[in-house]
Amino acid sequence: MTSIESLNSATSTPIFAIPAPNSASFSHPALYPSPPINDASSTVPGPSKKPKPHQEPRGSFGYDSEHGYSLQWDSEGHFLSWLQKEQSRLCVEYTRRDIVLGSASNSASNWLTRHRYTCARAGRQGGQSYVKLNPEWKEKANKKPLAGGCSSSIVIKTYPGTNAVLGKYQAEHSHPVEAANIRYTGISKATREDIREKVELGIGRKQIVSK
């Protein structure tokens, strides 16, 4: 055998054999599902929940100041001083009908006391106490309650942690006030006549009260 034949014989069998793919164990990559893509832009967000605004506890100072109690005094003494001037200005009298303690309500920790005043022309039926804010005015037998009562009333409330007082005032009366109502107040006859004369002379109410 020539050297060429020996070379051909040696190379007839491949030195490195590459195995053929086994169809039972080989699958095309495209047959496997692709992993999900986490794309935030592909999802539709739901409606955002807005935070609830802060709400004051029912019956508290902050709550009442936004729900009808529009008047404020530095203390109960300041309120009584204002009420006395209001009575003198309009020639009317107010009776304290009742006092309710905060402990008797469902919001005991939010307010301390509630006082209700009504015009004395409404009568005293059901009143728990009577506050005479003008000691110089004498009781009169001819105080005549109105048959249907009087619509004017004042409600004040006190609160824990502060001396301030809040109130709501129904100022409209169901009867004439000032000079026409003097006879139904407890002031003396001489004082009534003096006020009547000043009113007839056109003197202002503030000047009358200040004197």
Side-chain angles (χ1 to χ4, degrees), residues 138-168:
K138 298 180 180 180
E139 287 289 330
K140 290 181 60 61
N142 64 346
K143 286 184 181 177
K144 184 178 180 181
L146 296 177
C150 179
S151 59
S152 182
S153 65
I154 305 169
V155 179
I156 65 169
K157 289 178 71 175
T158 61
Y159 304 86
T162 180
N163 292 326
V165 175
L166 292 181
K168 54 183 177 180

Side-chain angles (χ1 to χ4, degrees), residues 67-140:
H67 292 80
Y69 286 81
S70 57
L71 300 179
Q72 180 175 338
W73 299 271
D74 292 338
S75 66
E76 193 169 353
H78 285 85
F79 160 72
L80 293 175
S81 178
W82 170 86
L83 182 55
Q84 184 172 356
K85 292 178 180 178
E86 187 71 359
Q87 290 183 128
S88 298
R89 182 179 72 87
L90 297 175
C91 297
V92 298
E93 289 180 277
Y94 282 94
T95 301
R96 187 174 63 191
R97 290 297 179 186
D98 50 48
I99 303 175
V100 179
L101 301 180
S103 58
S105 70
N106 294 328
S107 54
S109 62
N110 298 330
W111 56 278
L112 298 176
T113 60
R114 183 177 65 214
H115 306 246
R116 184 172 65 95
Y117 296 80
T118 61
C119 176
R121 293 290 303 276
R124 295 188 186 180
Q125 293 81 6
Q128 294 180 354
S129 59
Y130 174 71
V131 179
K132 192 172 181 61
L133 298 175
N134 298 80
E136 72 280 7
W137 291 7
K138 298 180 180 180
E139 287 289 330
K140 290 181 60 61

